[in-house]
Amino acid sequence: MKPSGAAPYVEEALRWLDGNPATPAAEQAFRGDAGSSPSAFELAARGRILLVDDNADMRSYAAGLLRPRWDVQEIADGSAALEAARAQPPDLVTTDIMMPGLDGFELLRALRADPLTGDVPVIMLSARANAEARIDGVDAGADDYLVKPFTARELVARVNLQMTMRQARAAINKQRAELYETFMQAPVPICVLRGRDLTFEMANPLYCKFVGRAPAAVVGRPLAEVFPELVGQGFDEMLLEVMRSAAAKTVDEVLISLDLKGDGSLEETYWSFVYAPLRDVAGRVDRVLAVSNNTTEYVRTRKDLEFQRQRAESSGRAKDEFLAMLGHELRNPLAPILTALQLMALRGDDTHERAIIERQTKHLVRLVDDLFDVSRITRGQVTLNRERCEMSDIVSAGIEMASPLLEKRGHTLTVDVPQRSFLVEGDRSRLAQVVSNLLTNAAKYTERGGTIHVALRKTDGWLELSVRDSGIGITPSMLPLVFDLFSQERQTIDRAQGGLGLGLAIVRSLVRLHGGDVAAHSQGREAGSEFVVRLPVAAEVPSAQFDKPVPRDTKRARGLRILIVDDNDDAAEMLEMALSVRGHSVRTANDGTSALRVATEFSPEVGLLDIGLPVMDGYELASLLRADPKHARMRLIALTGYGQPADVAQARATGFDEHELKPISLERLETVIRGASAPD
């Protein structure tokens, strides 16, 4: 009958007593258990076991159970076992606890302390069956604890489990070694940290190079020992959290203070990390793979570029503020001069001297306009009022704008431009400015009496406008630069051509805003120049749309009551005289307080307000006028030297209907003040 219950344990215990041979029942129990179900456990591949016990019968019995499956070396005491293990590390150690000399616990500690045997699995055999004994064994570092007496099957099963795990660990260690060898050749810094003290298990050469440490000073040492300066910077907590959570973590461009020179001085560095958990044979996370990237140079370069950008923006703001003030200071004196000249023309004063002053004043106005155009274009603040235009009309407008200079220098202008069906989608005034700038440029660099030819043709969906002159030409070195800001061909000391070198830069910017391009051609000095503008052709529409007569209001417009507010006495006086000549009733004031009083008495229909007024500026004055129901229908026009986009936006926000720059032509002013006037 097969033994059951405690019988197997009793019979095996009797075998351990001196003089009691193994009973047939015990042998049959093991053979029956193991043989009846051969797949109950998988035996590990043959390995070497060190069996340590001072009881000869126990050694003989246990060895008899294990030797059919593994190579077993029997040793009677702990000291001899330690020497044998160090001489040839086994795959497993089974040891009794109570032995003379070096007991089982001392043997275990010695094995664990030796790098050669530190990972050898150890099964402790003891007659102490209480829980405290088991805990002591595990705490001491044993891999398993088997209480005597035990069944043959239990011993074989426990040994097989440890041998299997040992082989699995060996396979994993082999794979890990192969992986680490790959990491050692990787083109990025990589390290592996193990355990709660984060000991460096591996660090490839690139990692050691980046952190300024020799491999021997890193591998096998805890993180806090290799990098004491990292204590308190939070990296140990991040790594341990990866172990606890078994979740990868990415850290981008984190600031780390490192002692890269090894002299105690800390240097600010930036790193990006990927932390990935690594598992042992039992599936527990016990290591962290850290892939590092030293981004210090990248971050510093980016920060430097950001600083340079901010400095450029600051410089740009300072430039814009300077241009705003410059424009205001230049436009204010130009306004009364130009108004006075227009008033003289209205009175029939066509003297040569007046004509000279008017030409030079308009030249100054163009220079100021060019400065502000460049500023707006470079900031992308130019808004195009697109419409379908005949290119012939645009060319005519451009010629009219440039004609004073062409006539002054006695140039012969020939024009080959079809009158119809050359349509472009664009801003009429800006495109006329392009033509005018090209003609002005040609006039400046063509000797007196030279020729300028303007031609227009269609080519593959493009309109090509050519302005060719017989002037001084462009040198090969200058040709690629002619459209750059402030770029001009070399001039003599008298600067006969004049200008700021902005005209062609404005041409290129405006043409590009229209989806086109412009190119310059010249065979060199004294060979003349040609500038070709290409613009997309707009879809044609029936010509009848252009031939319809424009209805005109032949009824004479009545004069308006107009209030002029300007602290520049000359500007206010000249504007008052010019508008009075045109039939308007005009009152003036030099400050906001006076303007409010005059407005109450005069009930103006239109207010022309300067912005830079003393005490109360034009914005505040406009707000007060708008708040008074008596002036609710009053048309407010800001007439100012401040022309930045922010100035226009603020004028709109404070109640102005229009924002006009000084100086303004009387024709333009008449159009603006009539924009919302009540009918007669």
Side-chain angles (χ1 to χ4, degrees):
M1 180 177 178
K2 182 178 178 180
S4 61
Y9 294 99
V10 173
E11 292 187 20
E12 289 198 43
L14 293 174
R15 291 191 60 206
W16 300 339
L17 299 176
D18 290 344
N20 286 281
T23 64
E27 289 292 340
Q28 181 61 38
F30 173 70
R31 286 194 299 271
D33 285 347
S36 61
S37 56
S39 60
F41 55 83
E42 296 180 2
L43 293 176
R46 196 166 191 90
R48 179 169 165 270
I49 299 175
L50 204 62
L51 178 61
V52 187
D53 200 308
D54 61 335
N55 185 306
D57 288 336
M58 182 62 205
R59 288 198 311 273
S60 176
Y61 169 69
L65 295 175
L66 301 176
R67 191 164 278 127
R69 298 161 178 82
W70 299 284
D71 295 330
V72 180
Q73 181 180 358
E74 299 178 47
I75 299 181
D77 63 83
S79 298
L82 181 60
E83 292 181 7
R86 287 173 173 171
Q88 184 181 359
D91 296 301
L92 175 73
V93 173
T94 66
T95 178
D96 190 19
I97 293 179
M98 302 299 294
M99 295 184 298
L102 196 68
D103 65 20
F105 286 119
E106 292 171 330
L107 173 60
L108 176 60
R109 283 192 290 270
L111 291 172
R112 290 287 180 258
D114 193 323
L116 291 175
T117 59
D119 62 347
V120 173
V122 175
I123 299 177
M124 304 198 80
L125 307 177
S126 174
R128 297 172 58 194
N130 57 55
E132 183 179 352
R134 293 177 180 273
I135 293 172
D136 289 344
V138 173
D139 286 345
D143 296 275
D144 204 349
Y145 188 96
L146 196 57
V147 178
K148 299 176 183 178
F150 46 77
T151 66
R153 180 173 180 174
E154 184 177 12
L155 175 63
V156 172
R158 296 286 186 92
V159 169
N160 186 66
L161 174 62
Q162 293 300 325
M163 293 291 279
T164 302
M165 293 180 65
R166 167 75 167 173
Q167 290 181 359
R169 280 193 294 268
I172 288 177
N173 288 338
K174 180 181 178 182
Q175 293 176 351
R176 183 177 293 149
E178 293 173 351
L179 183 62
Y180 286 3
E181 182 59 31
T182 301
F183 289 165
M184 293 295 285
Q185 303 172 41
V188 293
I190 297 177
C191 67
V192 175
L193 301 106
R194 179 187 68 243
R196 292 196 56 79
D197 61 351
L198 299 172
T199 298
F200 281 93
E201 186 171 85
M202 187 279 297
N204 70 355
L206 199 54
Y207 179 88
C208 295
K209 177 183 177 182
F210 275 174
V211 299
R213 304 288 198 277
V218 176
V219 178
R221 301 174 63 186
L223 177 68
E225 183 180 330
V226 177
F227 299 107
E229 64 269 29
L230 287 183
V231 175
Q233 295 194 46
F235 293 94
D236 50 347
E237 289 89 344
M238 279 192 288
L239 290 163
L240 292 174
E241 177 58 29
V242 171
M243 285 193 195
R244 284 192 295 268
S245 66
K249 184 177 183 63
T250 300
V251 184
D252 289 324
E253 295 180 10
V254 62
L255 175 63
I256 308 176
S257 296
L258 285 178
D259 179 12
L260 297 177
K261 298 177 182 177
D263 58 2
S265 62
L266 297 183
E267 181 179 339
E268 287 190 350
T269 61
Y270 291 88
W271 294 78
S272 293
F273 300 102
V274 175
Y275 295 145
L278 298 179
R279 300 178 182 274
D280 62 11
V281 65
R284 297 183 299 266
V285 175
D286 65 342
R287 292 169 175 82
V288 175
L289 168 70
V291 180
S292 312
N293 186 22
N294 188 338
T295 58
T296 303
E297 290 304 316
Y298 167 74
V299 173
R300 286 176 178 171
T301 300
R302 193 189 66 211
K303 288 180 177 290
D304 183 63
L305 289 174
E306 178 66 17
F307 172 75
Q308 296 295 338
R309 184 187 65 80
Q310 292 177 353
R311 188 167 70 173
E313 288 180 352
S314 176
S315 176
R317 285 192 298 269
K319 178 199 70 177
D320 292 343
E321 291 169 2
F322 170 76
L323 285 175
M325 184 58 64
L326 176 66
H328 179 265
E329 295 303 315
L330 289 176
R331 292 181 190 279
N332 269 340
L334 285 173
I337 295 173
L338 194 58
T339 303
L341 290 169
Q342 294 177 79
L343 183 58
M344 292 169 67
L346 287 174
R347 291 173 174 172
D349 185 351
D350 291 328
T351 62
H352 179 63
E353 291 80 0
R354 189 202 66 80
I356 292 174
I357 296 172
E358 184 173 13
R359 281 199 302 271
Q360 296 305 315
T361 302
K362 289 182 177 179
H363 178 64
L364 284 173
V365 172
R366 280 196 300 273
L367 292 179
V368 174
D369 288 341
D370 280 353
L371 280 172
F372 280 93
D373 272 344
V374 167
S375 177
R376 285 192 292 267
I377 290 170
T378 54
R379 296 196 311 274
Q381 294 178 335
V382 171
T383 301
L384 300 179
N385 298 316
R386 293 183 179 272
E387 58 179 318
R388 195 182 306 274
C389 314
E390 273 288 357
M391 199 65 193
S392 60
D393 296 337
I394 292 170
V395 173
S396 296
I399 291 174
E400 182 179 351
M401 294 165 65
S403 59
L405 182 59
L406 296 170
E407 294 170 2
K408 175 185 175 182
R409 298 182 67 83
H411 294 138
T412 299
L413 177 66
T414 60
V415 180
D416 181 13
V417 176
Q419 293 300 305
R420 287 289 180 265
S421 301
F422 276 57
L423 294 168
V424 65
E425 190 82 25
D427 188 311
R428 186 185 300 270
S429 62
R430 286 298 187 178
L431 290 176
Q433 183 182 0
V434 168
V435 177
S436 174
N437 282 9
L438 291 176
L439 289 171
T440 300
N441 181 76
K444 286 195 301 182
Y445 292 99
T446 300
E447 296 296 334
R448 181 177 295 278
T451 61
I452 299 175
H453 181 69
V454 179
L456 181 65
R457 63 180 181 271
K458 283 184 184 178
T459 305
D460 298 329
W462 293 86
L463 294 183
E464 289 191 353
L465 175 70
S466 167
V467 177
R468 188 175 69 252
D469 63 64
S470 60
I472 65 173
I474 307 172
T475 58
S477 61
M478 188 65 190
L479 200 57
L481 308 175
V482 292
F483 294 106
D484 293 346
L485 285 174
F486 309 110
S487 178
Q488 290 180 314
E489 185 61 275
R490 183 177 179 83
Q491 300 181 23
T492 58
I493 195 169
D494 63 0
R495 286 188 54 82
Q497 286 75 31
L500 299 176
L502 300 176
L504 293 180
I506 293 172
V507 165
R508 180 174 63 178
S509 298
L510 290 177
V511 169
R512 286 179 175 176
L513 285 174
H514 284 82
D517 58 68
V518 60
H521 308 281
S522 179
Q523 297 300 315
R525 272 293 190 182
E526 308 304 329
S529 308
E530 182 182 19
F531 289 84
V532 179
V533 172
R534 299 175 75 246
L535 295 169
V537 173
E540 294 188 11
V541 296
S543 59
Q545 294 190 24
F546 294 95
D547 297 333
K548 292 179 181 178
V550 178
R552 295 182 178 273
D553 185 4
T554 58
K555 188 176 181 180
R556 181 179 177 81
R558 68 172 179 84
L560 302 172
R561 295 188 303 278
I562 301 175
L563 172 62
I564 299 172
V565 187
D566 199 317
D567 61 332
N568 186 315
D569 292 334
D570 291 337
E573 181 182 352
M574 288 297 99
L575 198 55
E576 179 186 13
M577 293 173 64
L579 291 173
S580 297
V581 168
R582 287 180 171 262
H584 301 291
S585 178
V586 183
R587 297 289 186 274
T588 64
N590 300 119
D591 58 68
T593 304
S594 301
L596 291 173
R597 184 178 62 254
V598 173
T600 300
E601 300 169 354
F602 183 52
S603 297
E605 298 167 278
V606 178
L608 302 177
L609 312 185
D610 187 22
I611 296 300
L613 297 172
V615 183
M616 181 191 303
D617 64 26
Y619 300 129
E620 185 179 355
L621 175 58
S623 297
L624 291 174
L625 289 170
R626 279 283 177 254
D628 190 338
K630 297 177 183 177
H631 309 302
R633 298 187 63 188
M634 183 179 177
R635 183 168 175 77
L636 294 181
I637 300 167
L639 194 57
T640 176
Y642 293 113
Q644 300 292 335
D647 301 323
V648 178
Q650 188 172 359
R652 296 289 188 185
T654 51
F656 281 101
D657 297 289
E658 299 288 345
H659 182 283
E660 294 292 327
L661 281 177
K662 297 178 180 179
I664 184 172
S665 69
L666 292 180
E667 289 74 16
R668 171 62 183 169
L669 182 58
E670 187 72 28
T671 300
V672 172
I673 63 177
R674 295 279 183 187
S677 59
D680 292 338

